[in-house]
Amino acid sequence: MADGMALTARRKRLAPEARREQIVDAAVCYFAEVGLAGTTRDLAKRAGITQALLYQYFGSKAELLEAVFARVYLDRMSPHWPGLITDRRRPLRERILTFYAEYAGAIFSYEWLRIFMAAGLAGEALNRRYLDHVRDVLLAPLLDEIRFAARPDAQPEMEDLWNLHGGIIYLGIRRHIYHLPTPDDVMPVIERAVDRFLAGFAIGQ
Amino acid sequence: MADGMALTARRKRLAPEARREQIVDAAVCYFAEVGLAGTTRDLAKRAGITQALLYQYFGSKAELLEAVFARVYLDRMSPHWPGLITDRRRPLRERILTFYAEYAGAIFSYEWLRIFMAAGLAGEALNRRYLDHVRDVLLAPLLDEIRFAARPDAQPEMEDLWNLHGGIIYLGIRRHIYHLPTPDDVMPVIERAVDRFLAGFAIGQ
DNA sequence: TCTTTAATTGGTCAAATGATCAACGACGGG
DNA sequence: CCCGTCGTTGATCATTTGACCAATTAAAGA
């Protein structure tokens, strides 16, 4: 019992992959909080390792940030969303709501939103690539579906979909970037937004 | 003619207020571009002055950034918007469109959006204060107006207005934060968004 | 248990950065 | 024309920060 060093003891000798994972985890959390200009020393301190060890696993801070970006974006884009969106056996409204419920669940995280925004400010090409992907793989099919269901004289454009999308994303921005109070459950708000949108193109529920 | 030093010559002896203005102007442009972590040296170089001179006018970098925030936000909020919004002699739709045309004109600038977003990421209280102001002075009256015009069984909530607002702001975010292509004229998109919104609460044009 | 491997660390360097100050010199007043 | 004020500058300091390396030591294999 006198041997109380168990908790605060020196941490040593992790398998390289495990250590790398741990570093990236800590880096995601750290850079999300303090911004991409955070220092390697503070990050190392928070990760419970020495600063020098970072350079055992990453050649430079930029390389570490690359790993952070990869971690944050990887698998946040579910491959079944395109199929969900275009599955005409289900009602359109239900498809959209299911999609945005899952999308919000994946995107509305402190780490994701803040790192994504910081990357945008830093001029990383990542954001453009990601949002091009969102447009091509998610919004474009969604546009097709809505056009298919809409009256010929009330056809939406891509910009209208960006407007719907942005109104929803803005919830996350208010919460995680501006630290403003937002509803705990975002789905009712999203639901009403989607309903207004569909009604605007004369699509019944 | 041999005296060609006029353009590249040493700049000296400006009146203190003029110099201060010039520094703040340059700082707004500089920090919007490179982020709040930009250096005083680079800023000074861009402003065509020495780095030491910055500290003649501002006690610290933080103090300079305060001046930048003040400059960017000051008078971007027109005092006649509340009156415009609540002027029931004009049709509601027209009021909203006029307001958002002016609001977008004031807000959709590279400097404003980027510095505002960077301040949010940096945890500045400024964003919360500004958006509280937007909610209290603009969106709350707007909510009242729409509720007044809406059917009793289809009353919007504040979150619905944030949704409308966010969808519009997202246009500026896409353009200036993510550097994505957006329509040159945003008003048609805003117009359709507002029309969908009003229709969603059963308000005719 | 001993040896070997390599994960980890303390120490250190060079460059960058916020901040300071004595000295210079442009401009207005006498 | 000279002088004094004060806006401006070059030099410099103390830290911070990204990056590196030789020495240390925990853990696996024989």
Side-chain angles (χ1 to χ4, degrees), chain B residues 11-14 16 19 50 52-53 56-57:
Chain B
R11 299 102 184 176
K12 284 199 162 182
R13 283 262 143 175
L14 258 68
R19 179 64 83 189
T50 56
L53 191 56
Q56 180 76 8
Y57 293 90

Side-chain angles (χ1 to χ4, degrees), chain A residues 9-29:
Chain A
R10 73 203 74 167
R11 300 104 185 173
K12 283 198 163 184
R13 283 261 141 175
L14 258 69
E17 314 84 46
R19 180 64 84 191
R20 194 188 155 96
E21 290 297 294
Q22 180 214 348
I23 290 177
V24 175
D25 281 345
V28 165
C29 176

Side-chain angles (χ1 to χ4, degrees), chain A residues 19-197:
Chain A
R19 180 64 84 191
R20 194 188 155 96
E21 290 297 294
Q22 180 214 348
I23 290 177
V24 175
D25 281 345
V28 165
C29 176
Y30 173 71
F31 287 119
E33 191 171 314
V34 310
L36 304 187
T39 71
T40 54
R41 273 165 233 272
D42 280 351
L43 165 59
K45 187 178 298 179
R46 184 183 290 205
I49 60 176
T50 56
Q51 184 236 5
L53 190 56
L54 292 176
Y55 287 86
Q56 180 76 8
Y57 293 90
F58 304 94
S60 66
K61 183 183 169 183
E63 199 176 301
L64 170 58
L65 282 177
E66 283 297 315
V68 167
F69 293 153
R71 160 68 59 90
V72 171
Y73 299 122
L74 222 59
D75 293 331
R76 270 255 161 58
M77 189 79 95
S78 170
H80 97 276
W81 285 336
L84 162 64
I85 290 171
T86 56
D87 178 11
R88 295 193 178 169
R89 292 168 304 183
R90 300 176 64 184
L92 179 56
R93 176 179 184 272
E94 183 185 314
R95 281 180 269 161
I96 298 179
L97 288 180
T98 304
F99 162 65
Y100 268 117
E102 294 185 19
Y103 190 73
I107 296 305
F108 282 19
S109 90
Y110 183 82
E111 289 77 19
W112 195 95
L113 276 170
R114 290 182 74 85
I115 288 182
F116 189 74
M117 200 58 79
L121 281 174
E124 299 284 339
L126 181 101
N127 300 64
R128 257 162 297 167
R129 272 191 284 127
Y130 176 84
L131 287 176
D132 281 353
H133 194 243
V134 165
R135 185 197 56 208
D136 296 340
V137 174
L138 301 178
L139 297 191
L142 202 49
L143 181 60
D144 284 342
E145 295 304 310
I146 298 178
R147 278 186 163 153
F148 179 78
R151 291 206 323 249
D153 61 325
Q155 293 276 302
E157 299 176 21
M158 182 56 85
E159 275 302 322
D160 298 317
L161 269 185
W162 277 121
N163 178 74
L164 170 67
H165 193 76
I168 292 171
I169 297 295
Y170 196 70
L171 258 167
I173 293 177
R174 279 199 293 145
R175 179 184 296 176
H176 291 302
I177 310 286
Y178 302 144
H179 298 300
L180 289 168
T182 49
D184 293 325
D185 182 8
V186 295
M187 278 316 292
V189 184
I190 294 178
E191 203 165 320
R192 293 200 297 274
V194 168
D195 282 340
R196 281 195 301 274
F197 191 84

